Amino acid sequence: MTDQSDEPSHSSTDDVRPTPSQRRQLAAITEQQSIRDAVQAVSTDEEHLASLRSELFDVRRDDWRLLVSAHLRGRCLEVNAGYGRRSAVLADLVDDVYAVDPDRSKLRVLAAREDIDDEASITPIHASVETLPVARSQFDTIVADLTGCSYRTVTAHLHSLEQFLTTNGSLVVLADGITRHLGLPERLGLEQTQRDSQRPSVGRATAAGYRSVLQSCGFDAVNVLALFPTAQNVRFVLDATATDTARSLVSMLGAESGDNLRATLGTHAGAHLAQTGLLEPLYPSYCLVASRGPTPSPSSALSFSSPLLVSGRTRSVVLEYDDDTICGVSKIPNKSAHTPIIRRETRLLESLRETETGSPIAETLPEGHLTETRVGPVRTERPLDGTALSATLECTPEAFRRVLSTGVEWVRDFQVAFGDEHRLVRPAELERALTIPSLDLSPPAWAISHPIQTFSTPVHGDLHPENIYVQNGLDGTEGITVTDWEYGTPEGSPLVDAGLFPIHVGTACFGSVEAAVETLFCRDTEYARITADVMQEYGDAVGLSLETIYRLLPLGYIHRIALDWATRSITCYTGKLEERLERIERLWDLLDETRILVESR
């Protein structure tokens, strides 16, 4: 580690900031154990644990780089690198990363992290912007995280950093907008940041203000991306000046908010701001991209004309617009470790579409192709026609039955077309299928007490109403497209999809997985009777008993955990893994109650 002055840490805007003592403890443990174990050891409560995990592992916060990859190249200076989360994903795109941070403990963590590729060229440097031990014109790219800094400080740092760029270098800066300086995202519940009571000077902390500063620094080309809701919780990335993608963003947020009066008024107000361009100065966070001379264009760089990026845990989706209409869909891994997910999905879908089954089920699979790019393999698909099944779901028995039947009938037809012959699975083999030794996950004895008749089939792995699109034909027929196959595999248990789908439908109706399981499988309710009827019909068609279906409900979650663990996806380092493990234990605990309902039929 290159050592300089012992400066205080860059001002973090995360919810719960680790104390200097906790950061030193984290560094010491990481140097001896895994980063995952170290985080667990130093976290004092759930709030602190979630915040620290986000800062360490949540690469969705860095998804802006997928839209500016052409600017990321050569020697890269990263300012306020922190624990190295961003350093690792930058190293996938540039030759060398020089990771600067004033906090020595954070750099110790960066240097010791075993989850960063050994081949990544990352050099930790203990310094601040004011004490950078580098000469002028040394870097092709500078990436600076200046969130949490006042507008005046950001302006000073922009003027200071440009001297270190080469003649055709690019500067990428993360900065707060005026609404975040004023604490608006926190007040609206968009983030949980705890800020000081005194707000920093905001100046012209807008897209136009930052653009003007960068132009005064001598940059010929300046683009500004909006990060929404904030740079610490990036769900969407879009051109801050674009009105079509802004309208789409408002529409998506409105759909999430429901149809109450407050949400409706908010959506109308947001749509007006988007249409008139008034959202541009109001975004809470920005990604500023400035270059000298023509925009660099490395081979295989991504290029979009009017993109709206929607962040995901393992991959992000870029929706490309033309006159308010989606004209392209690109699915991109958000770190190099996630590239197998994109490849697996494409191979599976191509194989299924090429298989002769004599069934029209292949027509329900999305078409797409794979392109190799600087950020990894990108799967491009046609925009989907129709309406997501989730949009038609209402919390009434009739609507519940219709949605559940639509999805389960698709599962039935898919498995009849692609499934293998039935065979007897004995308890020892069943136990292996339900066990992940590295996570101490294993089934209770009663779940594997006797053999079952089942079969192997390709699986979707994440089947829920949002992934099923329904098209109504002029002749009254109904077409279906099933999308998002990132958890798909060519071989698995039929109960992965058959078990997960009812739980997802129930969760959409009753608000939580726990409420869904209680209502659908553990109590004698109308919804439980509907579920049993639909699942019995499915079981009769594919040759599975209702008792087997209910007994092995956790298989869907086990399937997803196993795939995530194999690729070391972000889910393995966040609370999502613990949440799914606890969910599996809860399902096992409810097994006796589900058996009672089954036996009473």
Side-chain angles (χ1 to χ4, degrees):
M1 182 187 303
T2 303
D3 195 5
Q4 290 295 317
S5 59
D6 191 11
E7 298 285 345
S9 174
H10 166 60
S11 177
S12 170
T13 55
D14 281 342
D15 180 16
V16 182
R17 305 173 189 176
T19 64
S21 175
Q22 287 174 322
R23 293 198 294 271
R24 288 192 295 270
Q25 183 186 10
L26 178 66
I29 298 175
T30 304
E31 289 168 345
Q32 301 296 323
Q33 303 177 32
S34 73
I35 183 67
R36 189 171 180 271
D37 292 339
V39 171
Q40 290 284 150
V42 303
S43 297
T44 55
D45 54 49
E46 288 300 318
E47 192 176 28
H48 175 264
L49 179 61
S51 176
L52 185 56
R53 280 172 166 168
S54 175
E55 189 174 355
L56 281 161
F57 306 120
D58 194 354
V59 292
R60 291 175 295 185
R61 294 167 61 158
D62 310 311
D63 272 357
W64 47 264
R65 78 191 188 286
L66 302 177
L67 298 185
V68 303
S69 62
H71 294 269
L72 306 175
R73 68 199 194 283
R75 288 163 55 91
C76 174
L77 177 68
E78 184 192 5
V79 178
N80 294 322
Y83 297 107
R85 180 202 71 246
R86 184 172 49 245
S87 309
V89 293
L90 287 174
D92 291 337
L93 296 171
V94 302
D95 297 334
D96 305 284
V97 176
Y98 295 85
V100 173
D101 200 274
D103 189 299
R104 192 191 307 271
S105 296
K106 289 185 176 182
L107 293 177
R108 286 175 59 195
V109 172
L110 187 162
R113 292 181 64 156
E114 88 291 343
D115 61 323
I116 294 179
D117 193 333
D118 291 338
E119 296 183 1
S121 177
I122 303 174
T123 302
I125 300 176
H126 184 218
S128 64
V129 175
E130 295 82 1
T131 62
L132 283 172
V134 295
R136 296 173 61 92
S137 306
Q138 291 294 303
F139 297 97
D140 304 293
T141 305
I142 296 177
V143 175
D145 181 358
L146 302 183
T147 56
C149 297
S150 70
Y151 174 76
R152 184 178 303 166
T153 300
V154 172
T155 299
H157 286 345
L158 293 179
H159 283 282
S160 174
L161 289 171
E162 61 89 17
Q163 66 180 301
F164 301 116
L165 283 173
T166 57
T167 302
N168 295 316
S170 294
L171 175 63
V172 180
V173 176
L174 307 179
D176 293 332
I178 189 170
T179 52
R180 191 158 193 259
H181 278 306
L182 296 174
L184 188 59
E186 181 182 354
R187 295 174 187 174
L188 294 177
L190 298 176
E191 69 173 353
Q192 298 177 332
T193 302
Q194 296 176 348
R195 293 172 174 268
D196 298 332
S197 58
Q198 291 185 337
R199 305 293 180 185
S201 61
V202 297
R204 295 182 61 202
T206 63
Y210 286 130
R211 187 181 294 108
S212 177
V213 172
L214 287 166
Q215 289 171 342
S216 72
C217 292
F219 289 101
D220 300 312
V222 179
N223 296 314
V224 182
L225 300 177
L227 310 180
F228 190 86
T230 70
Q232 273 63 40
N233 177 28
V234 178
R235 292 185 56 206
F236 302 95
V237 183
L238 64 156
D239 185 334
T241 65
T243 57
D244 52 354
T245 49
R247 287 192 294 270
S248 295
L249 170 63
V250 171
S251 177
M252 290 181 184
L253 296 175
E256 292 179 0
S257 301
D259 56 1
N260 58 71
L261 179 60
R262 181 177 179 181
T264 301
L265 291 174
T267 300
H268 283 303
H272 175 72
L273 292 173
Q275 178 65 37
T276 56
L278 293 177
L279 272 184
E280 180 181 349
L282 299 178
Y283 288 113
S285 298
Y286 296 103
C287 175
L288 318 173
V289 187
S291 58
R292 293 169 172 161
T295 300
S297 55
S299 60
S300 302
L302 291 178
S303 178
F304 302 101
S305 58
S306 185
L308 173 62
L309 183 146
V310 184
S311 292
R313 287 190 182 88
T314 58
R315 67 178 185 186
S316 293
V317 177
V318 175
L319 306 175
E320 197 161 9
Y321 285 81
D322 182 15
D323 292 334
D324 292 323
T325 301
I326 299 176
C327 59
V329 179
S330 298
K331 300 178 178 181
I332 311 170
N334 51 24
K335 62 183 295 188
S336 58
H338 296 163
T339 58
I341 297 170
I342 300 289
R343 298 191 193 281
R344 182 179 64 226
E345 176 181 18
T346 299
R347 284 196 302 267
L348 174 61
L349 287 170
E350 288 178 349
S351 173
L352 292 174
R353 293 186 68 88
E354 293 170 359
T355 301
E356 294 291 339
T357 65
S359 166
I361 196 70
E363 298 175 7
T364 68
L365 308 179
E367 296 183 55
H369 65 273
L370 208 62
T371 303
E372 298 297 332
T373 74
R374 297 188 70 233
V375 298
V378 174
R379 177 173 172 80
T380 303
E381 295 180 353
R382 292 174 48 197
L384 293 173
D385 296 324
T387 303
L389 193 58
S390 56
T392 71
L393 179 60
E394 299 175 356
C395 292
T396 65
E398 295 77 15
F400 175 82
R401 179 186 287 275
R402 175 178 47 77
V403 170
L404 181 63
S405 295
T406 299
V408 172
E409 286 171 7
W410 178 87
V411 172
R412 175 200 65 199
D413 294 343
F414 179 81
Q415 293 177 355
V416 168
F418 293 107
D420 291 337
E421 296 294 324
H422 281 69
R423 66 186 186 89
L424 186 69
V425 176
R426 301 190 182 280
E429 182 181 352
L430 187 58
E431 182 178 17
R432 288 193 296 272
L434 298 171
T435 299
I436 303 179
S438 54
L439 294 175
D440 294 326
L441 176 65
S442 59
W446 63 80
I448 54 173
S449 59
H450 57 269
I452 63 169
Q453 283 285 343
T454 186
F455 59 96
S456 178
T457 179
V459 298
H460 180 281
D462 189 26
L463 192 67
H464 57 71
E466 292 181 4
N467 288 337
I468 299 178
Y469 277 71
V470 179
Q471 308 92 30
N472 295 313
L474 296 177
D475 58 356
T477 59
E478 192 175 75
I480 284 179
T481 303
V482 179
T483 187
D484 289 346
W485 288 72
E486 66 263 37
Y487 281 99
T489 56
E491 188 173 306
S493 168
L495 300 176
V496 170
D497 293 333
L500 271 181
F501 188 74
I503 295 176
H504 283 315
V505 177
T507 301
C509 268
F510 308 116
S512 70
V513 172
E514 291 70 21
V517 172
E518 290 278 355
T519 304
L520 303 185
F521 303 109
C522 302
R523 298 202 307 266
D524 187 13
T525 67
E526 184 174 3
Y527 290 95
R529 291 189 290 273
I530 292 171
T531 302
D533 287 343
V534 173
M535 300 312 294
Q536 182 72 67
E537 292 177 5
Y538 157 78
D540 291 343
V542 300
L544 295 174
S545 70
L546 189 61
E547 189 270 341
T548 295
I549 295 170
Y550 280 24
R551 181 154 63 102
L552 299 180
L553 279 174
L555 259 172
Y557 292 111
I558 295 172
H559 169 85
R560 295 180 63 172
I561 288 174
L563 289 182
D564 284 336
W565 193 251
T567 57
R568 291 299 190 268
S569 79
I570 180 179
T571 305
C572 298
Y573 298 93
T574 66
K576 199 69 178 177
L577 177 61
E578 281 75 15
E579 178 185 320
R580 287 177 179 167
L581 290 171
E582 291 172 3
R583 191 170 293 161
I584 291 170
E585 293 298 328
R586 175 61 175 156
L587 285 172
W588 290 134
D589 289 342
L590 295 170
L591 182 60
D592 283 339
E593 297 173 65
T594 62
R595 183 184 294 121
I596 291 172
L597 285 179
V598 171
E599 292 176 349
S600 67
R601 288 181 58 81

